[in-house]
Every structure is written in C-alpha cells, then in structure tokens.
Amino acid sequence: MALTTALLNSAYLHTRCYRHKILHPLLGPLLSDPMSKLYSSYKRPGSLPEEKKSWQNTDFSFKKSIDVLKSQLGLLKRETEDYLIGPGGKPLSHYILEQTKVLWEFRSQEDLNKWVISSDVEIGGKSEVHLTLGRNNQAALLYGTLNTEVPRDGETKYSGYCSMRSKPLLGSFARKKYYDWSNFNCLYLRVRGDGRPWMVNIYTDPYFSHQKDDLYNYFMFTRGGPYWEEIKIPFSKFFLSSRGRVQDDQHPIWLDKVSTLGFTIGDKVDGPFQLEIDFIGLINDRAHTEEFAYETYEKNPIA
C-alpha cells in the first residue's frame, strides 16, 4: 500500500513539475515517451500541432510499474557487470588494442528505431524526409524531397533542410550516458549517395548551458552512381559551430562525451535526394597524426 501511494504521488508530481521528471525514473516510461521529449522543438506557425495526452489515459497499473522496476534493475545489473569487466564491458587489454569498431549497422527495423528524422516542417517548411530499410534489409535508406520555399510567418529567413540523428544513450533509470570515442581518431562510413553533399554533425554534452547549441561539423561528399563508397573522416577535421555559424574560438571534439551523431542535407537545391548507409564505425588510423586542423587563439586577459 505504501508503494502504491508513492507511485501515485510521483505521477501527480510528474504532471505538476514536468521539468523535473528526472526525479521519477520509474514512472517515466509509463507517462510519456522520453525520446520524443528529447527531440521536441519550438513550433512556429504552419507546423502540425502536437497531440497532448490526457492524464485520464495514463496507465497507473501497479503490475506494470513493478515490471518497469524489474527491467531497470536488470539493466543496472548489466551496467555494473560491464563496469567491473572494463570500459564498455570489454577487458582493458582488448579496449586498448582495439583498432576498429562498428557503432551502427542497419539490418532490421530495430536498428532504424535508434534514429530520428526531422525537416524544416518543424518551422513551417515543406521539405519531406523518410527513413526505411534498403534492398534486402542491408542498409538504411534516407530519402525525400528538399524544398527551399520560406514559410510566410514574417520571421523565418531560410528554409530547406532534412536530417537524420541518432538517439542519445540512456542508462538504467533514464540516466544520461555518452559514447567514448577517445580511443579512435576517425569516423568510418560505407554509404551510397546521389552526388549531393551532406553535413556530418557530432553533438557532445556541454559543460555549460550556453553551449547547448554547439555542434561539430564536417562535410561528406557523395559520388552518386551504382557503387558504394567508403568514407573516412578524421575527427581533427571537425569544426565547431553554433546555430549554423562557424565559431572563431575553435577546439577539438570532446570525444569522451559524444551524445549523438547526425547527417543533414541543406545544399539549397530543390528536388529529391537519397542516401544509403550500410554501417557507421570508428577506426584508429596510425598514419593520421594531425591533432587539430584549425588555428586556435588564446584569449588575451582583460587589462
């Protein structure tokens, strides 16, 4: 009875204090979709309204709460076992000598569910984007139509983009987790495009709130045609941007706190686009010795 009362009190606090839902990891999966909240964005005129769930439709089942608790405790147990074994659940000797690693491959719908897609529809635009499995379920097929027509809201100046982004890692009880890529120096992809350029985006968890819009970007040029191509992008080539503007103060990626990886097309060319991705991985290229490709400036102290 005491546990039931605690669960109901948590549900009440969740509806009154949504911004503090991290305090309710047990009821989080029951009351809302946590991943959809992570990718919510400001809706401008012309975008589709969000459907709000009523509290009457919330499932307060005691059995379901116990099942969620058991699953979260099981996940916590596996995380603890992996931590005792070594980084990422691998022995330290294996982790240090690791030269290649596959992060994502696309062979089933479950693999696609680890990603989200978005477009300028969120700001009232007209671009379309879709993500599905390719031929023989051997790749992810990202396709759609780019439309640079600016919405008539009196505020937006530019439009015409579509993107695909991985969902951030979540540990037990909705804890934030990060990818640690510090043991590698290059991103490695096998793709087949239509000749259009893409922007590869890496988002790291910021230390300060004013850095929440910071992204590390670099370009990926596809050849087009029937043949697959393997692309290697050193992390030293990624440059820092914020809200689409390249920053003067550049610094290398914080590879130990990577949150998400994404791809964006916005080349200002109206028409269809297509990108197939076989896998996304990491390599440690011993021949690449460059630490950072861009100049860094030391700020002069204020006199």
Side-chain angles (χ1 to χ4, degrees):
M1 185 64 185
L3 179 58
T4 305
T5 304
L7 293 176
L8 293 176
N9 289 337
S10 297
Y12 173 76
L13 290 174
H14 183 281
T15 58
R16 295 295 301 273
C17 303
Y18 167 75
R19 299 185 67 178
H20 297 82
K21 70 177 182 178
I22 192 62
L23 299 178
H24 314 288
L26 178 59
L27 285 177
L30 304 182
L31 299 174
S32 62
D33 181 4
M35 301 312 303
S36 64
K37 299 300 181 183
L38 289 174
Y39 287 92
S40 62
S41 60
Y42 173 70
K43 302 295 183 180
R44 293 184 179 178
S47 59
L48 298 176
E50 293 183 347
E51 295 183 2
K52 296 183 178 179
K53 297 182 179 179
S54 173
W55 68 269
Q56 287 91 346
N57 299 326
T58 303
D59 186 0
F60 292 101
S61 170
F62 180 76
K63 182 180 181 301
K64 188 173 183 180
S65 300
I66 296 299
D67 292 340
V68 171
L69 178 60
K70 288 181 178 179
S71 63
Q72 295 299 319
L73 290 176
L75 182 58
L76 180 61
K77 178 183 177 182
R78 290 194 297 271
E79 292 176 353
T80 305
E81 292 174 348
D82 291 343
Y83 180 80
L84 295 176
I85 294 174
K90 301 177 181 178
L92 185 59
S93 58
H94 184 194
Y95 174 78
I96 294 177
L97 298 176
E98 193 173 28
Q99 299 295 309
T100 61
K101 182 178 183 179
V102 176
L103 295 172
W104 294 279
E105 59 181 356
F106 302 93
R107 300 295 183 267
S108 65
Q109 184 61 42
E110 184 179 355
D111 296 330
L112 295 184
N113 292 340
K114 299 176 182 178
W115 296 76
V116 293
I117 56 176
S118 62
S119 69
D120 54 33
V121 171
E122 297 179 352
I123 60 172
K126 298 182 179 180
S127 298
E128 297 180 2
V129 62
H130 308 278
L131 179 63
T132 185
L133 285 173
R135 183 177 300 177
N136 298 325
N137 296 339
Q138 291 299 308
L141 176 59
L142 182 66
Y143 68 97
T145 304
L146 205 66
N147 191 323
T148 58
E149 182 179 346
V150 179
R152 299 180 180 180
D153 57 5
E155 183 179 355
T156 306
K157 296 182 180 180
Y158 305 99
S159 185
Y161 72 86
C162 294
S163 66
M164 165 185 174
R165 184 167 68 164
S166 64
K167 296 179 180 179
L169 284 176
L170 288 179
S172 58
F173 298 101
R175 294 180 299 107
K176 280 186 178 181
K177 294 182 66 178
Y178 309 104
Y179 297 102
D180 185 357
W181 298 349
S182 56
N183 203 32
F184 305 90
N185 60 6
C186 296
L187 189 68
Y188 191 77
L189 311 96
R190 185 172 187 263
V191 302
R192 181 165 60 181
D194 55 5
R196 302 183 71 161
W198 290 77
M199 183 75 79
V200 182
N201 312 308
I202 295 179
Y203 179 77
T204 60
D205 190 68
Y207 288 99
F208 306 103
S209 59
H210 68 275
Q211 297 173 324
K212 63 182 178 62
D213 296 317
D214 288 358
L215 272 179
Y216 298 92
N217 316 100
Y218 198 68
F219 307 100
M220 180 178 71
F221 299 96
T222 59
R223 289 196 302 255
Y227 300 108
W228 289 88
E229 58 182 310
E230 297 180 355
I231 299 177
K232 181 179 68 174
I233 306 177
F235 291 127
S236 61
K237 302 292 185 183
F238 282 81
F239 55 87
L240 178 64
S241 68
S242 180
R243 297 188 178 182
R245 294 178 174 86
V246 180
Q247 301 299 292
D248 293 331
D249 187 12
Q250 292 288 326
H251 61 264
I253 303 178
W254 298 326
L255 290 174
D256 60 334
K257 294 197 68 178
V258 175
S259 179
T260 64
L261 173 74
F263 304 90
T264 300
I265 184 171
D267 55 3
K268 300 182 181 180
V269 179
D270 290 345
F273 63 86
Q274 177 176 306
L275 177 68
E276 292 179 88
I277 306 175
D278 183 10
F279 66 84
I280 303 169
L282 304 170
I283 63 173
N284 186 12
D285 186 1
R286 300 288 186 178
H288 183 77
T289 58
E290 181 182 61
E291 294 183 4
F292 194 51
Y294 310 102
E295 294 182 354
T296 56
Y297 303 93
E298 294 184 2
K299 294 183 178 179
N300 295 326
I302 300 176

